[in-house]
Structures are given as C-alpha cells and as structure tokens.
Amino acid sequence: MRTVSVAAAALLAGMMTSVSGGALAQERTVKITGFGAKSGVVRVFGVNSEAAMKAAAEEINKAGGVTLGDDAKAKLSVEFLDDRCNAEEGISVIRRIASSDAFVAVGPTCSNVAESLFGILQKKVGDASDSGLQFPVFADVAAKGGLAAISEWAFRNVPSELEMYKSLFAWLKREHPNLKTIYGGVEKDFAHSNATYGVMKKQAEENGFQLLGTGEWLLNDTNFSTQVREMRRANPEIVAISAHPFTTCGVLREMDRQGVKPKLLIGLTSSSSIETLQGCAKQAEGIIIPTSFAPVTAEAKTAAENVSKQGGSMDLHSAAAYEIMFILKDVIESQKIMAKPDTVQADRNKMRQGLAALKETKGLLGTVGRTNDREAIKPYLYVYAKDGSWQVLHKPSS
Amino acid sequence: MDFYLGLAQVIGVHTLLGLSAYCVLLTGQVSLAQAAFFAVGAYVAAILTVIFKWHLFAALGVSAVVSGLTACAVGFPALRVKGLMLVVATLAFGEAVRLFFFNFTYQIQAGELKIGPHGAEGFRQIRYFPEHGWSTFDVLMFIWLMVAIVMACLWWLDQSRAGAVMRAVGEDEVAAHSSGINVTAVKVLAMTIGGVIAGIGGGIFAHYTTHIEHVQFGVILATFAIAYPILGGLSNVFGTLLAVIFIQGFLIEGLRFLGDWRNLLFGALIVLAMNLRPRGFLDAGGVASLKRMLFAGKESSGA
C-alpha cells in the first residue's frame, strides 16, 4: 500500500510539474507598470492612461504578444499605481516598481511628480559618482517642457507645446489678420498650465498680438467672477486659457454668464479632451486647441474605440500611453530583453539603450521623431469644439 | 528593498514634521504654521546646497536657525490670540509663506542651465544626495540619526522641569500663570523649538524629493503635521512616530493596492482610530500599562 501511495504521489507530482512547466512555457507574462494620478482633480488622466495601456496590451497580445530575448513568447499585462499627483508618493511608487522585476515604468501624470522622480534617477548614465536610481521611466502625460533633460534614464512621448503654440499663433496671424488683442488666463498653481502659459504669451507677443492682461486662478478654484470681470473690462478679441478641463469649463461658464464673447478662444492642449465637452460643450463651442491626437486615421479610430472599451477616453495624453506600449514591445524585441528575475538590471540597461537609440517611432497620427534629449517630436493638428465634439480645423504641413 | 528604505525615509521626515507640531501642542496651542516653517527650512537648505554649494550639514544648521527665528517671530504676535483664533492666525501665516514661495524667484546661471527657485514652477535639481554618492541606505541612516537626536532631546525635555512647565501651560494656562510661570515665554519657546525641528525636516525633505514647490507646503501638509501627534497621543514622543507609521506606512503605502478605494478607507480608518483611541495611540494609560508590563517582566526575571 505504501509503495502504491509513493508511486501515486510521484506520478501526481510529475504530472503537476509537466502541467505547470507547460503552462509556464505558454503563459509567460511581462508586466508593464504604469503610474499616475488616479485620485483628486486630475484623476481622469490616470484613468485614461491605464485604459490606454490595457487596450494597447490587449492589441499586442491578440497579435501574438511579445518575443523575448530567449525567443519565448510572452503576453503583456498592465498594472497601474496611483501616485495622487503627489511628488513624495511618486517617488515611493517608482521605488516600489524598481524593487520588483520591472525593467521600465510608464508615467507619471503630473509634471511636479516627474520633476521629483526624474531627480532621483541617475543624471548621466555610467557616472559612478552619481548614486541615483538606474531605472528607465517613460512619461506619457507630464507635459511641462524639458523634463527628460533631468536624467538620461527619463524619456517622454509627449508633444512639444512650444512647437504647437508657435505654429498656432503664426497660423492665427495669417488667417485672422484683423485680430490684434489677446487676454490670457492661467491655472497658476499647476506646473504644466503655468509653464505653457509662458509659451502662449511669448508666442502671442512675437506674432504681434497685444496682451491686454492675464487672469490667474488655482486648480481647485470654483469661482472665477473676478478674473472674468477683469477680462470683460479689457474687451479682448482673443482669449487664451492655459488650464485643465475643470477650471477651463469654470471660466468659460463664467464668461458666458457675464456675456464675455471674444472673437476667438484658444485652449490648453490637455483640454482637447472629452472632459471639456462633457463639462461645458456649449460654452466651449469654437475653442481652438493644438493636439497630438484626434481620431482622424483608421488606426486612431480603432485605438479610441479600444480605449473606450477599457473604460477610458482617448486624448493626446492617453494616446501617448497607448503608443508607448507599442514602442516598449519593439524595444523588448530589438534589444532581446529576457524579462527574467536574474536579468533585471541588464534588462533595464537594454531598455534604456533601446529607447535612447530610437530616432523615430510609429504614432497614431504618423511618424514620431525622437530627439537626442529623449523627447518626442509628434505630429499635431488644430481641433475646435463643434456641436459637442472635436473637429479637425487645420493640419499644419510640418 | 530600496522601496522599504525609501518608505522609511518618508516616515523619518514626517516624524520630524509631526514632532515640530508636538512641541507646540504640549503647550495647548494648535498651530497650522508648521508646514510654513517646513517650507522655510526646505528652501533655505536647498538654496544653500544648490546655489552656494554648501555642505548639507551646514545648510541644515542654517535652515534650522532661520526656521526657528521665523517661528519665534511669529510666536510673539500669534500667541496673543488663543484657541480657534490662533488656528486661523497660523493658517493665514502658512498661506502667506506658501504664496511668498509661489512668487519667489532667485536663479543664477550655471553653465547652460539656470538654477534656483523659480516661482510657481518650483525649485528643481536639488540633487545633493545622489551627486555626493549617498546611497538610499546612507540617506536613511542620516534621516533616522536626526530623528533619534530630536526624539532624545524632546524625551529629555519632557522628563525635565521645562517639560513639566510646558505641560502645565497646556493643561491649564490660568493655573500655570498663577503659579508664576511666564506663559508667553513658554509658548514662544515651544513654537521656536517646533520651528527648529520643522526647519531640519524641511531641509531634508527638499533633498530627498529633489524638487520643491509651493503647493507641497499647503494646508494639507499643515493638517498632517498636527494630525500625527494628535492621532499618536501627546503622552510621549513615540506616539507621533506610531501615527506617522500608521498614516504613511499603512494608510498611504500599505493600502495602495486598493486603488480607488484607498482614499475612502483613508478617512474612515482615521475616524475609526480616533474613536477607538480618543486620546491617541499612546496615551498616558497605555504608557503606564507598558511600564507595568516591562517592570513585571523584570521583577519576575529577577526573582
């Protein structure tokens, strides 16, 4: 009886080993961790990034997954961590991800978080005197200019707002030569909005527009009557608002209430999203925004539908997260990343080298160029709000 | 491992912030200015190491002095008011300091880059630790050395006559005054000590986050500062440490896997904790029980 039991146990163990071994061979999974704000006022950006990453992973997996360095096939899975748009939490999250077998992370949402966590990364690769973290981070949303320059381990797939607004104001000057005066509005306490307002203001002035004044408010503000009253007094022909959808809508509603009707409205890139239309479609009618995403190609339309199925919406930021997943797939394959626990640091180095070597990548609106300072040069177009949806207004030839 | 070391750093720095409020609370005052002192320490220390290339220790020393002096200066006028009025006064001061840094720009050219605080966009590249080869463990050891020193000093203060005087003022200001205690001096002293501790904490905070901006030093941080000692209990310094571990270690990091539910649970668990331990995690009764247990253990082992 004892011999039978031992034999049965051995047989069972053998079967389990072969089953699990086979299963392992078939079900090897590479986890890509994203992080960003999934709580607070900017929560929607994290929700959209997560949905976009999951939609892209599903597409990649449907097409057979990713081929690893040992020629094994692996499926991609996505985990997304909330940093609450808080720098300290962002650092903790990146340390948590870097303590795992991950070889890259995608995020963050907020530029202030990117500032801090790019700061804890090693500044120059191979600098033995710099004890910073050696871990590649690929930003999808954090849009403040020049962030990737902080560390050679930092990469971004965000559009250049300088180029976009430079082009937009030059186009406005050509197309609307009769418009001369402009009034600005800025969400002063949000790094991205504030930095981009500087860009808008400079480009407006360089193109000969006369700045009549600037209204300032904070991300959590809900009352804009004073700022809009000043705006009404100035009676500008153009109003340029550098703010996210929540306060952009607040200001637009207040402008509607006070009867401020400029001939032209300009918005921040991040406001070319569904949230603006959900919040104030009527008041936002006609607002012109440069963006690096619109569902104008078949691929972009499919991607937007897939992201929607995952519970998010596609905009320029989530489109960047979607594209990043495909970029990571290509780099995993070209750099022969092994994705094994004993090759973690080697995989991280390979990932960094692979990302740094990219000269161009495939984007939803066309080819995306890569700069030496690890930033993206993305194709863009101008959209405007019309009847509750974003319509393409103009596609610059660049 | 790096993650846990990083988390221990966060707990250490927040313990310093909590201890800065602990001193003030001992005298019965509720101050929402601790985040402002923390901000002063952060900016002063960062300016000294980044722009003037000072050694970190010297920079922290100066940040402690400047924050302490700021707290002392605030202490005199602010402590003329009591209770809720003091809360409002210190809150207003905290916002004034935050808005000062919101508009404060002082940059110098360093090669192709400009370095230094840049108003609303903050102060980036405060990279003293990585640039001087400090590992995460080195930074952790340094932070906890500072925490240990501060806790030891406060422990000693608590056991001394000065501590008894501070508690007497906190328990009953009128009785303390009638016993000949200079109540204003005690309160200003407590505020100054709190400012010094917040200055050290802020200086370290700036260097481990590598980037600071005004928004980090707002009402939320000020609320956390007083929440730590209140939640932990004012019977001794270890209560604050326990509360920081509970909030930063458990509620923020431990529950991160819960995703969207974390924020909901965050508030609910704090309310639950306050209901279960209304006088803090480590109240006088708890400390007495612990002492009894320890002494009983010693007596039985001695027997």
Side-chain angles (χ1 to χ4, degrees), chain A residues 39 43 82 84 88-89 92-93 95-96 99 112 115-116 119 121 123 129-131 144 147 188 194, chain B residues 2-3 14 102 120-121 124 127 130 133-134 136 205 208-211 213 216 253 256 260 262-263:
Chain A
S39 23
R43 172 181 189 274
D82 180 18
R84 298 204 288 188
E88 261 188 308
E89 288 200 40
S92 286
V93 165
R95 285 197 193 283
R96 182 189 282 265
S99 297
N112 63 311
E115 289 264 18
S116 281
L121 302 176
K123 192 169 184 175
S129 67
D130 188 330
S131 62
K144 186 176 167 186
L147 286 176
K188 191 73 181 168
N194 193 48
Chain B
D2 207 40
F3 162 66
H14 280 256
F102 179 71
E121 290 185 33
R124 68 160 60 158
R127 299 188 75 253
W134 290 46
T136 313
F205 172 84
Y208 87 77
T209 57
T210 75
H211 172 262
E213 59 182 31
Q216 293 166 312
E253 280 307 323
R256 193 180 294 282
D260 295 353
R262 181 174 62 143
N263 292 320

Side-chain angles (χ1 to χ4, degrees), chain A residues 363-384:
Chain A
L364 290 168
L365 290 192
T367 303
V368 175
R370 301 286 313 168
T371 67
N372 289 335
D373 55 357
R374 300 166 302 283
E375 301 278 4
I377 306 165
K378 304 189 83 173
Y380 57 89
L381 35 79
Y382 312 150
V383 294
Y384 73 114

Side-chain angles (χ1 to χ4, degrees), chain A residues 138-143 156-165 167 269 290-294 314-325 327 359-371 374-382 395-398:
Chain A
F138 206 161
D140 55 343
V141 183
R156 292 203 305 169
N157 186 35
V158 301
S160 165
E161 294 191 321
L162 173 63
E163 291 304 318
M164 290 161 107
Y165 284 100
S167 154
T269 51
T291 177
S292 56
F293 177 79
M314 192 70 118
D315 56 23
L316 79 161
H317 299 307
S318 50
Y322 188 90
E323 290 167 354
I324 284 173
M325 291 298 284
I327 297 171
K359 294 296 173 206
E360 57 181 39
T361 60
K362 198 167 169 292
L364 290 168
L365 290 192
T367 303
V368 175
R370 301 286 313 168
T371 67
R374 300 166 302 283
E375 301 278 4
I377 306 165
K378 304 189 83 173
Y380 57 89
L381 35 79
Y382 312 150
K395 189 173 187 325
S397 53
S398 65

